[in-house]
Amino acid sequence: MDDEILKGYSISEFLQSEKCAGWNPDTRRYYTNCLQDLLAFTRQHGEPTEQLLTDWVNHLKQTYGCKTVNVHIAAANQYFRWCGRLDLLREHIKSETTTDPPTPTVTRAEYLKLLRAARALGKQRTYLLIKLFATTDLPLQCLDQVTAEVVKAGQGTLNYHGVTIDFRCPPPLQRELLNYMARNGVYRGPVFVTRNNRPISRIAVFRSMQELCSAAGVPEEKGNPRSFRNLYKTTQQELDDRLAVLKNQMYDQMIEMEQAAIGWPAQDETAAGRSA
């Protein structure tokens, strides 16, 4: 076929395979473009080999930044795994410049402030998006996999770049999502869609969050899903730390109770028993 990087394995067949079934439209589009780039390179330089793929990566580095090159490598790796050519897999490159600044974490006070602002402004979808990322650790790439069926079940299995992850919807959020679905006539498929019933884009998600941050007086750089996921992770760590302290306290109390019942007597008590 005209779109074969390896003979007998077309790009279009790969994209229609079960391996790609869980991809959202953005991921599918990015990976398609990356594979087309690789296809053009192989047509010019020959069939894929370990050395040719190294040359391809070096060629990409002359034009693209580290993140974009790694997206190309990820797309190629997915394709070669599907082809059964594990020998052609490439490792992601490391940035030769400064690392990206860490994503700021939304504080719980800022999070609650944003929810109040969304309610006051009648922005229910933005309210639910913020709550979804802050309470479930959902990757943005999996947003279109949050379907009416998953919400009704309260849980589900999602596909994140070929890796299976478990999704759990907390009951309070589930009730609000069900209410939102009923109001907007969402009975199946992705919960968050456009007027044309297509999954909302990542750009729309970012824009709505940043606009709400601006209205609520929260730094706009915190208006992104990753910042809210950071809040989820820090909250979970705080809860784990509290549980660890409580566990130690309960264990010490158990030991104290056993000590009181059958503990070895203190030294002075032993000596008094001997003198008697």
Side-chain angles (χ1 to χ4, degrees):
M1 294 180 67
D2 292 338
D3 65 343
E4 292 178 348
I5 296 174
L6 287 175
K7 291 183 179 179
Y9 299 95
S10 74
I11 296 174
S12 58
E13 289 180 359
F14 163 66
L15 294 173
Q16 294 170 7
S17 67
E18 293 183 1
K19 191 174 187 64
C20 309
W23 290 359
N24 63 43
D26 287 339
T27 299
R28 187 176 296 276
R29 182 173 63 255
Y30 292 152
Y31 277 27
T32 300
N33 292 338
C34 293
L35 292 175
Q36 290 295 336
D37 285 348
L38 176 56
L39 177 62
F41 192 84
T42 57
R43 283 178 172 173
Q44 184 177 357
H45 297 89
E47 294 186 3
T49 63
E50 293 185 34
Q51 183 57 53
L52 183 136
L53 289 170
T54 299
D55 295 341
W56 176 59
V57 171
N58 290 333
H59 170 73
L60 292 172
K61 289 165 66 176
Q62 297 176 9
T63 306
Y64 302 113
C66 177
K67 287 185 176 180
T68 303
V69 173
N70 283 334
V71 172
H72 280 71
I73 294 174
N77 284 347
Q78 293 276 14
Y79 171 78
F80 289 131
R81 285 194 183 95
W82 177 70
C83 298
R85 291 294 302 275
L86 303 184
D87 58 304
L88 297 179
L89 302 184
R90 302 289 90 185
E91 293 184 359
H92 287 190
I93 66 172
K94 296 182 179 179
S95 176
E96 298 177 355
T97 58
T98 57
T99 57
D100 294 334
T103 303
T105 299
V106 175
T107 66
R108 183 148 296 276
E110 290 172 332
Y111 163 67
L112 296 176
K113 186 177 183 180
L114 287 168
L115 294 184
R116 294 190 186 97
R119 285 184 55 185
L121 295 171
K123 297 183 177 295
Q124 186 181 19
R125 189 175 75 177
T126 306
Y127 168 96
L128 289 172
L129 285 169
I130 289 175
K131 211 167 193 180
L132 181 63
F133 290 112
T135 61
T136 68
D137 194 30
L138 176 78
L140 175 58
Q141 293 84 347
C142 296
L143 179 59
D144 65 334
Q145 297 179 53
V146 179
T147 62
E149 294 83 355
V150 168
V151 173
K152 291 174 184 176
Q155 59 186 356
T157 301
L158 311 182
N159 186 303
Y160 180 54
H161 293 317
V163 178
T164 298
I165 61 174
D166 293 325
F167 172 80
R168 174 183 174 275
C169 187
L173 175 61
Q174 181 189 33
R175 291 193 294 269
E176 291 185 318
L177 286 172
L178 289 172
N179 176 266
Y180 174 82
M181 289 158 49
R183 289 182 57 185
N184 292 275
V186 178
Y187 305 108
R188 63 180 63 86
V191 172
F192 298 99
V193 294
T194 65
R195 293 179 180 178
N196 297 325
N197 205 36
R198 300 189 59 175
I200 61 173
S201 68
R202 300 181 191 182
I203 295 176
V205 173
F206 275 81
R207 184 188 301 118
S208 64
M209 290 181 174
Q210 290 172 353
E211 289 177 351
L212 183 62
C213 282
S214 178
V218 174
E220 285 192 27
E221 60 268 23
K222 294 188 177 184
N224 62 83
R226 186 171 296 178
S227 290
F228 295 109
R229 291 182 66 200
N230 285 348
L231 173 62
Y232 170 86
K233 292 174 182 176
T234 56
T235 302
Q236 290 294 316
Q237 185 60 55
E238 291 172 359
L239 292 175
D240 287 342
D241 293 342
R242 294 179 188 177
L243 287 174
V245 172
L246 181 60
K247 178 181 177 181
N248 287 336
Q249 291 175 345
M250 294 178 65
Y251 184 76
D252 291 346
Q253 290 174 2
M254 181 184 71
I255 298 300
E256 287 287 357
M257 293 174 62
E258 294 174 346
Q259 178 73 12
I262 56 173
W264 194 269
Q267 184 175 0
D268 56 344
E269 294 176 358
T270 304
R274 287 176 180 173
S275 62

